[in-house]
Amino acid sequence: MRIMAMRRFTGAAIRACSSSSGYFARQLHASSGESKKIVGVFYKANEYATKNPNFLGCVENALGIRNWLETQGHQYIVTDDKEGPDCELEKHIPDLHVLISTPFHPAYVTAERIKKAKNMQLLLTAGIGSDHIDLQAAAAAGLTVAEVTGSNVVSVAEDELMRILILMRNFVPGYNQVINGEWNVAGIAYRAYDLEGKTIGTVGAGRIGKLLLQRLKPFGCNLLYHDRLQMEPELEQEIGANYVENLNEMLLKCDVVVVNMPLTEKTRGMFNKEMIGKMKKGVLIVNNARAAIMDRQAVVEAMESGHIGGYSGDVWDPQPAPKNHPWRYMPNQAMTPHISGTTMDAQLRYAAGTKDMLEKYFKGEDFPAQNYIVKDGVLAPQYR
């Protein structure tokens, strides 16, 4: 999804937001030696927590920062219990200063929770994507929201390429035949295709979208992209991708559509029945961005009718997905839990990035500009 180099926040924008209720009420500042309460919400790894020393993004290993925080006198609470009025997270909302979460097991930070969190100053996403936070409410309350920009770009782009190939080659039915003791080549081959010569379009060409296009170039595809901004001509030529300003025009041409945009109020439910109906019959869709960009029922109906020939992704709404989520039972799907950006390599990057921002927070220093999602009451461009 698009994470541009952040424009500097203008004085006019800050003054405009300063009239919002609560703005500037919470200064992002931690005096030297001042103890802070930090809460981390991660998924449990259980028996897998000890199987890899780089498995940092779980409850058990807590980003690898527990000793570092506690030796400085800070309190560090870690949990996976994040839903409902009696959950563990809810108990700590009133007096926490910093809340850390991940896109893979998100702590949904609603306007109601923000109102209760009288001491909260900083919301950190260990990874990329902060749509689990009510960003408008956070801005109005004077909170800072930041994420580890770039930490899982390679991980997600590689995963998208894998999913394109899985759908194109009809891999899942073949795998299921093997584990079920079956052998029916025709049942796989009738809808398996080469990637070469196909038209692949990415909706969104930020860091992940660009890298995906670069990874696809050797396959000999016709590469298209739609984005708010067109790439520089030299980069377009290097990647071999063509810009399509009109999204509907691009969708008509694509054999594969990859979603690489952030979830905002504008993009929520964007791929509805009407938009899906404009795509080629049998189109393959890969979505590792956010599930709510899709109209859930429209996807189910298009999969059942065959208008969508295959759907793969790792994002669900909500997360974790309930057992009765309809996407679990669609034909020709290749869904997984939210895993693309939480490889061991990515975990090392987003754990280090989170620690770096906490260090700067304790010292009263600015974060890298591209990491800010909300700063001084202003949302980053991709979320406006």
Side-chain angles (χ1 to χ4, degrees):
M1 60 184 68
R2 186 66 147 179
I3 308 287
M4 301 190 310
M6 293 280 289
R7 294 199 296 256
R8 296 192 67 84
F9 298 99
T10 66
I14 293 172
R15 286 192 296 274
C17 289
S18 65
S19 61
S20 300
S21 175
Y23 181 72
F24 284 142
R26 313 181 195 189
Q27 295 298 316
L28 184 67
H29 177 69
S31 301
S32 179
E34 183 182 352
S35 177
K36 293 294 182 180
K37 182 173 182 178
I38 299 158
V39 175
V41 178
F42 313 112
Y43 56 79
K44 279 187 177 177
N46 299 310
E47 69 273 21
Y48 302 104
T50 59
K51 291 184 180 295
N52 191 318
N54 296 333
F55 203 153
L56 300 179
C58 58
V59 166
E60 293 83 351
N61 297 326
L63 298 182
I65 57 176
R66 181 179 293 283
N67 289 341
W68 172 70
L69 286 172
E70 291 180 349
T71 55
Q72 296 184 71
H74 303 296
Q75 185 181 7
Y76 189 31
I77 307 293
V78 176
T79 183
D80 73 322
D81 185 17
K82 63 188 181 73
E83 303 294 342
D86 300 318
C87 70
E88 184 67 20
L89 172 61
E90 202 69 27
K91 297 174 187 176
H92 301 287
I93 289 290
D95 63 345
L96 63 81
H97 297 95
V98 180
L99 177 59
I100 306 170
S101 185
T102 74
F104 320 106
H105 188 75
Y108 293 104
V109 184
T110 61
E112 181 181 2
R113 278 181 164 170
I114 289 172
K115 188 176 181 180
K116 291 178 183 177
K118 302 299 184 184
N119 293 338
M120 185 157 62
Q121 298 172 325
L122 176 61
L123 291 157
L124 290 178
T125 299
I128 301 174
S130 297
D131 49 87
H132 55 282
I133 300 165
D134 186 326
L135 297 176
Q136 295 289 350
L143 299 176
T144 295
V145 181
E147 58 189 39
V148 190
T149 297
S151 59
N152 54 18
V153 169
V154 170
S155 310
V156 176
E158 288 183 356
D159 188 272
E160 289 176 342
L161 177 55
M162 174 191 73
R163 291 175 191 276
I164 291 170
L165 288 166
I166 282 172
L167 292 177
M168 190 66 68
R169 289 305 183 94
N170 204 23
F171 175 84
V172 173
Y175 172 77
N176 288 333
Q177 282 189 24
V178 171
I179 62 175
N180 292 330
E182 302 169 355
W183 190 276
N184 180 1
V185 174
I188 307 162
Y190 84 102
R191 57 190 311 275
Y193 298 89
D194 296 340
L195 188 54
E196 184 178 28
K198 302 302 185 294
T199 297
I200 318 293
T202 176
V203 186
R207 286 180 170 87
I208 294 171
K210 283 192 183 78
L211 187 57
L212 173 66
L213 292 170
Q214 290 172 327
R215 295 287 196 264
L216 283 166
K217 184 178 181 180
F219 286 86
C221 305
N222 176 30
L223 302 177
L224 306 176
Y225 74 97
H226 170 81
D227 197 271
R228 293 181 298 122
L229 298 174
Q230 185 172 359
M231 299 179 202
E232 293 297 324
E234 296 79 7
L235 183 57
E236 275 191 347
Q237 187 173 5
E238 177 189 331
I239 295 174
N242 294 307
Y243 177 66
V244 184
E245 185 175 4
N246 185 294
L247 176 58
N248 291 332
E249 181 184 327
M250 187 184 85
L251 295 178
L252 286 169
K253 301 176 181 179
C254 291
D255 301 300
V256 181
V257 173
V258 186
V259 181
N260 274 312
M261 64 174 70
L263 175 63
T264 67
E265 288 310 307
K266 184 177 180 180
T267 63
R268 185 179 296 275
M270 178 175 168
F271 282 83
N272 54 21
K273 185 175 182 178
E274 180 183 1
M275 182 167 284
I276 291 171
K278 295 174 182 177
M279 300 182 190
K280 282 185 179 181
K281 181 174 176 57
V283 65
L284 306 179
I285 298 177
V286 171
N287 178 15
N288 279 0
R290 288 296 181 266
I293 294 172
M294 317 299 293
D295 180 315
R296 179 195 296 185
Q297 190 56 33
V299 171
V300 172
E301 292 173 3
M303 288 284 281
E304 290 175 345
S305 73
H307 190 80
I308 298 177
Y311 185 96
S312 184
D314 69 337
V315 286
W316 304 74
D317 183 28
Q319 291 187 168
K323 289 183 179 180
N324 64 350
H325 196 294
W327 286 5
R328 291 180 182 268
Y329 310 105
M330 298 187 299
N332 303 317
Q333 56 90 356
M335 296 294 296
T336 67
H338 196 166
I339 58 168
S340 62
T342 189
T343 63
M344 294 298 99
D345 305 283
Q347 290 191 30
L348 288 173
R349 291 189 290 265
Y350 63 67
T354 301
K355 182 180 179 182
D356 177 70
M357 286 192 287
L358 284 171
E359 282 187 301
K360 287 179 167 55
Y361 163 66
F362 296 142
K363 295 176 182 178
E365 298 175 357
D366 282 344
F367 303 155
Q370 69 271 16
N371 287 9
Y372 284 109
I373 301 303
V374 177
K375 181 187 180 186
D376 296 334
V378 181
L379 273 65
Q382 68 269 25
Y383 283 102
R384 293 177 195 165

